[in-house]
Amino acid sequence: MKFTCNKDNLIECINIVQKAIPSKSSINILECMLIEVGEELRFTGSDGDFGIVYEIPGIIEEIGSIIVNSKTFGDIIRKLPDIYVTIESVDDNTISITSRNANYKINVFNNEGYPPVEFIDNTNEFRLNESTLCNLVKQTSFAACLEDKRVILKGVFMEQKDKKLNFVAIDGYRLALRYTEVEDNREFGVIVPTKILNELAKSIKGDDEIIKFCCNDNQIMFYNDKFRMISKLYKGDYVDYKKMFPKEYKTTCKIKTKELLDSFERAQLVMKDERKYPLSVKFTKNDEVIVYINAENGVLREVINAEVSGEEIELGLSIKNVIECLRVINDEEIVISLTSAVGPCVINGVNDKEFIFLTMPVKLNKAR
């Protein structure tokens, strides 16, 4: 095996492929990267459930394949002195890495036992702008529950129906929904592990370039001209999330996103355990929102001007849940819709109707 390539291209490749490689594993081979030199220069990382295949251009002089410890290989490549790198096999157990006057010889292994990454048939592919996909992920994945015993809640539900592509995440106390309208009338519904979506969003530029994806009953694959990400899907029936939204509301409030976010972040400063000291939020008939907390480190009372319609309602809210929602909203103003002090609190942008967040209230302390 022998090839020469651009170091910057190789570093970009390594950074993305390493997203699928565990830093520590009881199975040593899973800490390795597969390098295949054939008609193309291909790098693969896999943990058995999640795999990434990345291709870069290079001058290929001799075909072959090896696996190498991902961390060692990546650390060396990042420190090389020249823009060009030549990698070649010395023998069955060693490769040479040369850049200008620097030369390394490191141990490698044959690729027997390396978990295969099999591509999905992409005849029935879907297409999205990278920027659209990044928003779909950013505004939903934070609400997935990574520690819940129910596997389906550890993923994001991707559903295409009625010419809408919906991304939904639920953790039992909150729900984040982002959708985008599509011209495609095909329908599907799959539960994708949150990890692959977050890593995908980090790996693409988030511009107007196209990202493609396809899926079957067991796997999903995202891909472009450079790489493919393949992941197993979570199996099971997803929550009927549409039934969670109330049909009508008794109170609505229009308020500036940043003002409410800043207030909640200030309230967080006097609190250690929000389970013991929930935040009180009162929507008054005087077009005011009163934020109040009496916690371990002090008391905060703040009044925010807003447009409040309907009944006066006071409820307890999880600071963390609402802050995480407000941080991903792109709209300058939001609408908060309420049914009662114990019913769902629903938040969406004034102009951006494609993002909807729902959180359940928490019980307020009686002693105030």
Side-chain angles (χ1 to χ4, degrees):
M1 179 190 82
K2 184 177 180 180
F3 65 89
T4 299
C5 65
N6 179 284
K7 185 182 77 170
D8 291 341
N9 289 344
L10 185 53
I11 289 173
E12 180 182 2
C13 165
I14 290 168
N15 289 342
I16 291 179
V17 169
Q18 283 183 333
K19 296 177 186 299
I21 300 173
S23 56
K24 290 184 179 180
S25 174
S26 58
I27 304 173
N28 291 337
I29 200 171
L30 295 184
E31 297 179 15
C32 293
M33 177 183 298
L34 171 63
I35 303 175
E36 297 172 287
V37 183
E39 294 182 357
E40 299 164 330
L41 187 53
R42 176 179 291 181
F43 295 77
T44 301
S46 174
D47 65 5
D49 293 327
F50 174 37
I52 300 176
V53 177
Y54 198 106
E55 295 175 354
I56 61 172
I59 300 171
I60 296 171
E61 298 185 49
E62 185 179 344
I63 66 172
S65 63
I66 52 96
I67 63 171
V68 61
N69 181 274
S70 171
K71 184 179 187 307
T72 301
F73 182 71
D75 289 348
I76 288 173
I77 298 300
R78 294 182 185 99
K79 293 294 184 180
L80 291 176
D82 197 20
I83 193 65
Y84 294 107
V85 183
T86 297
I87 299 173
E88 62 182 313
S89 296
V90 176
D91 53 43
D92 290 343
N93 302 309
T94 312
I95 60 170
S96 167
I97 303 173
T98 304
S99 178
R100 198 189 299 166
N101 297 323
N103 175 259
Y104 286 88
K105 289 183 174 62
I106 62 172
N107 296 331
V108 296
F109 316 92
N110 64 52
N111 57 357
E112 292 181 6
Y114 197 80
V117 178
E118 298 180 358
F119 295 163
I120 300 173
D121 178 10
N122 63 349
T123 304
N124 192 28
E125 72 178 15
F126 298 84
R127 293 168 171 247
L128 273 177
N129 283 348
E130 289 184 358
S131 57
T132 300
L133 179 61
C134 285
N135 276 333
L136 287 164
V137 174
K138 180 183 75 171
Q139 294 187 317
T140 54
S141 64
F142 73 92
C145 186
L146 302 182
E147 300 177 357
D148 200 286
K149 293 180 180 179
R150 292 167 291 180
V151 173
I152 60 170
L153 296 188
K154 294 181 180 181
V156 174
F157 184 48
M158 285 180 59
E159 174 193 47
Q160 186 161 297
K161 193 173 183 179
D162 299 328
K163 291 191 174 183
K164 285 184 179 180
L165 176 61
N166 303 307
F167 274 45
V168 186
I170 301 172
D171 71 359
Y173 301 96
R174 60 182 175 175
L175 177 157
L177 163 65
R178 174 83 196 188
Y179 71 86
T180 185
E181 295 183 355
V182 295
E183 295 180 1
D184 195 331
N185 59 10
R186 289 174 293 174
E187 296 186 353
F188 70 87
V190 294
I191 307 171
V192 185
T194 304
K195 175 182 176 180
I196 183 177
L197 293 174
N198 286 334
E199 297 299 356
L200 175 63
K202 294 174 187 175
S203 301
I204 58 181
K205 296 178 181 179
D207 53 22
D208 290 330
E209 294 294 320
I210 296 296
I211 189 80
K212 306 170 188 176
F213 69 93
C214 54
C215 56
N216 56 30
D217 290 340
N218 300 308
Q219 291 179 297
I220 189 166
M221 179 171 74
F222 295 91
Y223 57 101
N224 59 21
D225 293 337
K226 290 184 177 180
F227 69 85
R228 297 178 183 239
M229 290 188 178
I230 302 98
S231 173
K232 289 184 178 179
L233 298 170
Y234 290 139
K235 306 295 287 185
D237 294 326
Y238 202 70
V239 179
D240 189 355
Y241 64 92
K242 293 179 182 178
K243 289 185 177 180
M244 298 177 66
F245 293 100
K247 294 182 179 180
E248 57 182 27
Y249 300 96
K250 293 183 178 179
T251 302
T252 60
C253 170
K254 181 179 175 183
I255 190 169
K256 292 189 180 298
T257 308
K258 190 176 186 307
E259 289 188 8
L260 188 64
L261 174 60
D262 289 347
S263 177
F264 273 45
E265 288 179 339
R266 283 189 285 268
Q268 208 171 31
L269 300 176
V270 297
M271 177 207 69
K272 289 183 179 179
D273 187 349
E274 69 172 317
R275 292 172 298 180
K276 295 181 180 179
Y277 302 96
L279 181 70
S280 164
V281 183
K282 187 174 184 179
F283 300 85
T284 75
K285 295 181 179 180
N286 299 324
D287 283 338
E288 293 177 340
V289 175
I290 301 173
V291 176
Y292 177 86
I293 188 168
N294 184 350
E296 303 98 324
N297 295 333
V299 178
L300 169 75
R301 185 181 185 276
E302 185 168 353
V303 179
I304 307 171
N305 292 327
E307 297 178 22
V308 181
S309 303
E311 299 180 7
E312 188 168 284
I313 292 180
E314 180 182 12
L315 72 163
L317 290 174
S318 161
I319 294 180
K320 173 180 174 292
N321 285 353
V322 179
I323 283 178
E324 288 185 343
C325 161
L326 296 177
R327 284 176 177 169
V328 300
I329 288 179
N330 299 323
D331 224 330
E332 291 185 1
E333 291 183 301
I334 57 171
V335 174
I336 302 173
S337 303
L338 307 164
T339 57
S340 68
V342 294
C345 169
V346 177
I347 300 173
N348 60 273
V350 169
N351 297 310
D352 182 6
K353 305 296 184 182
E354 296 181 350
F355 172 70
I356 307 172
F357 178 78
L358 179 152
T359 185
M360 295 303 299
V362 295
K363 188 178 180 181
L364 288 171
N365 296 330
K366 293 182 180 180
R368 296 279 301 279

